[in-house]
Each structure stands twice: as structure tokens, then as C-alpha cells.
Amino acid sequence: MDINAKTKVYGLIGKPVRHSLSPIMHNALFEKYNINAVYLAFEVELGRLRDAIMGAKALGIMGLNVTMPHKVEVTKFLDELSDEAREIGSVNTIANEDGRLVGYNTDGIGARKALERVTEVEGSKVLILGAGGAGRAIAYELSKVAEVVVLNRTLEKAKELEKFGVKGDSLEELPYYIEWADILINATSVGMGEERSIVPKNLLRPSLVVMDIVYKPLLTRLLRDARSMGCVTVDGLWMLVYQGAESFKIWTGVEVDVEFMRRVALEGLRGGR
Ligand code: ATR
């Protein structure tokens, strides 16, 4: 696809952004679906976020993904928030809708769709570890259809989520709740770039479905332990793919081929692109 005067601009704002897989995924999708658009990574300092958003609006940038550390702060600078973005208090996707910037959050639905590849979520018992941005988004989405407990190292942050109708408790209660759960999700950063799991292996059992939101490494210590105990697992790259697919749908209306996105993301992860 040639870049010309009609090319629409999309992108990612965050810091750091240089290792993000989003640019290669979205550019591959624009090419595949013959859409005259590009997706770029913009590194934005915390103190420049307002300027960046105003600039994006003035330049007619059509859509942005938002990542750390801006997901919460950015809610202040948008014209409108979707219900879930308002409830969760964070935005990972902005769409320019006739000049108005509207904030969405696709992290929760991304996690749900990733899980639904391997298991029934509706009516299940879900144990989420972590009440940070990702944990909040996932708890909000899954609480619509499942029984949810969120455990967090800092108890107060888990308790705050009780407004979604979930139960919040301390991470120390893991041995008790893991017995109760059908699905276990690691939504903490534990395991990212390290050989460490937040769940002792002896607490895992074959009937538990285990998902990790961490995707570097793709096979985290938690997922490796879970597989060796006979659990069905879902890796964090599937969540990344589905949250990206949901953003793309908001921007373009296109229901994308997620297997294709996964192949592109995997190539990116292995340094192939
Ligand atoms: P994200 O937006 O990716 O969720 P975050 O908001 O910084 O990132 O949240 C990180 C989560 O990982 C939090 O739930 C954090 O627990 P605290 O709220 O107690 O800080 C959790 N976390 C990070 N390191 C952890 C560790 N070593 N043990 C347990 N939980 C940890």
C-alpha cells in the first residue's frame, strides 16, 4: 500500500513503546484488508500527554492505542468515555469519531475472547491474581458472566474492585481460592522476563484452566508448570491479539483474522520483523 495524501494515521502512545508488537500487527492488518492507513509508535512523556492528545486531535489522527504509563491519566483529556472505560478507569483505545476523541478499553474483552478459545467462561468460577490495570479490566468484563474473585498483594486494591460485584481478598489466600476456581488468571507482572511464578506448582491440578497475561516469555514459568500438571493453558499473546483485534474493529469495523494476527505477533516476538 502506497502512502499518499489520503493515508490515515493511527498509533500507539506510551513510554517505552519501542518494543511494542502493536505497530507490526496493525500495519499487517491494514495491508491485508487494503486500508490506506499507517500505525506508528509515539513515545510520549508523562508531562506531555495532554499536548499529545490535543495534537492528535488537531492533526486528525484517527485512532490511538494507549499503554503504560498513560492509560489512567488519558481519561481526563478525552471528549467521551465508553461505559467500560469509565467503570475501569482506564483507556487502551481512542477512536476519533467525527473529530471527537472517544476512549474505550479492550483489555477485558481481549482476555475473555482469549479464554473462550479453550473454555466456557459463562457461569464459571474465575480467580484473578492482580488488581492493577489489567486485573481491573479483566475483573470488570468477566464479572458480567462469571463468578470472580480477585486476589492482590495489596489488599485495598482488591477490595476496591468489589464495586464490580466481585470478591476481593489478599494474595495470601491463594491456596484456599485455587481449590474453588475453574479458571486461574495471572494478571500481575510476575513472570515477565523472569523465571518465576506467582503460583506454587503443587497448588495446580489438571482440571484448572490457566491463563497468563504475560507474553515475554511466551511460555512463562506458570504456564510451563500448568502444562506439566495437565492443565489447559492460554498464553498472554492471545490476549494481546484479541485486544488489538477489538481496537481494530472499533476503528475500521473489520472483524479480523486472529490466526493471521497471531502469526504476525509471533514473528515480531521472535525478532523476525
Ligand atoms: P498492569 O497495568 O500491567 O496491571 P500495574 O497496574 O502496575 O500493571 O499492576 C501490577 C500488578 O502486579 C499489581 O496487582 C501488583 O500488585 P500490588 O497492587 O500489590 O502492587 C502485582 N505485582 C507486581 N509484582 C508483584 C509481586 N512480586 N508479587 C505479587 N504481586 C505483584
Side-chain angles (χ1 to χ4, degrees):
M1 171 76 62
D2 288 335
I3 292 176
N4 57 31
K6 293 194 176 120
T7 304
K8 290 179 175 165
V9 179
Y10 292 81
L12 167 70
I13 54 173
K15 190 180 177 186
V17 292
R18 297 295 162 214
H19 296 288
S20 170
L21 295 175
S22 295
I24 60 166
M25 283 197 301
H26 287 288
N27 285 315
L29 291 174
F30 287 138
E31 195 174 320
K32 182 177 172 70
Y33 296 104
N34 259 313
I35 298 170
N36 184 1
V38 293
Y39 184 108
L40 304 170
F42 300 107
E43 198 153 280
V44 176
E45 302 284 338
L46 202 50
R48 305 300 305 275
L49 181 61
R50 187 174 184 282
D51 291 348
I53 296 298
M54 294 305 125
K57 195 171 177 176
L59 291 171
I61 286 179
M62 293 307 291
L64 290 169
N65 281 130
V66 185
T67 187
M68 300 292 285
H70 300 314
K71 284 182 166 190
V72 174
E73 186 78 4
V74 79
T75 57
K76 293 183 199 162
F77 307 127
L78 303 177
D79 298 306
E80 196 179 322
L81 296 176
S82 69
D83 290 344
E84 80 279 350
R86 195 171 337 99
E87 289 286 332
I88 298 162
S90 88
V91 161
N92 79 331
T93 305
I94 299 170
N96 184 333
E97 298 176 4
D98 300 322
R100 290 171 53 76
L101 298 186
V102 184
Y104 297 88
N105 190 311
T106 68
D107 287 332
I109 187 82
R112 177 171 165 182
K113 292 204 164 177
L115 269 175
E116 283 171 347
R117 294 184 64 82
V118 300
T119 191
E120 176 97 42
V121 176
E122 213 169 316
S124 64
K125 297 182 178 122
V126 183
L127 181 60
I128 300 172
L129 309 181
R136 283 213 311 275
I138 297 169
Y140 172 81
E141 177 64 28
L142 298 189
S143 68
K144 294 178 189 169
V145 296
E147 255 185 274
V148 176
V149 173
V150 180
L151 304 183
N152 200 50
R153 180 176 60 180
T154 313
L155 176 62
E156 303 83 78
K157 277 168 75 182
K159 286 285 178 199
E160 272 172 36
L161 298 191
E162 294 196 336
K163 66 180 179 196
F164 299 154
V166 311
K167 178 161 177 51
D169 212 331
S170 160
L171 195 55
E172 286 168 16
E173 305 301 325
L174 175 62
Y176 170 75
Y177 288 106
I178 205 168
E179 292 274 328
W180 160 88
D182 304 315
I183 299 172
L184 172 76
I185 303 171
N186 173 42
T188 73
S189 48
V190 176
M192 196 185 297
E194 61 179 0
E195 221 352 77
R196 193 157 65 103
S197 169
I198 196 159
V199 182
K201 186 175 172 181
N202 63 2
L203 295 182
L204 298 167
R205 58 173 202 283
S207 60
L208 199 61
V209 173
V210 179
M211 175 163 139
D212 205 332
I213 69 158
V214 173
Y215 61 86
K216 274 181 197 170
L218 190 59
L219 195 56
T220 57
R221 174 71 184 270
L222 169 63
L223 294 184
R224 197 147 36 77
D225 287 349
R227 284 190 193 176
S228 77
M229 295 298 281
C231 305
V232 169
T233 62
V234 194
D235 63 53
L237 200 66
W238 277 119
M239 173 170 158
L240 183 81
V241 163
Y242 278 101
Q243 65 77 30
E246 291 297 313
S247 298
F248 198 83
K249 190 164 78 185
I250 288 169
W251 294 330
T252 64
V254 177
E255 292 263 8
V256 304
D257 173 351
V258 288
E259 306 286 341
F260 168 79
M261 264 181 105
R262 167 104 179 166
R263 284 196 299 278
V264 172
L266 269 176
E267 254 183 72
L269 201 58
R270 292 181 184 137
R273 288 172 69 117

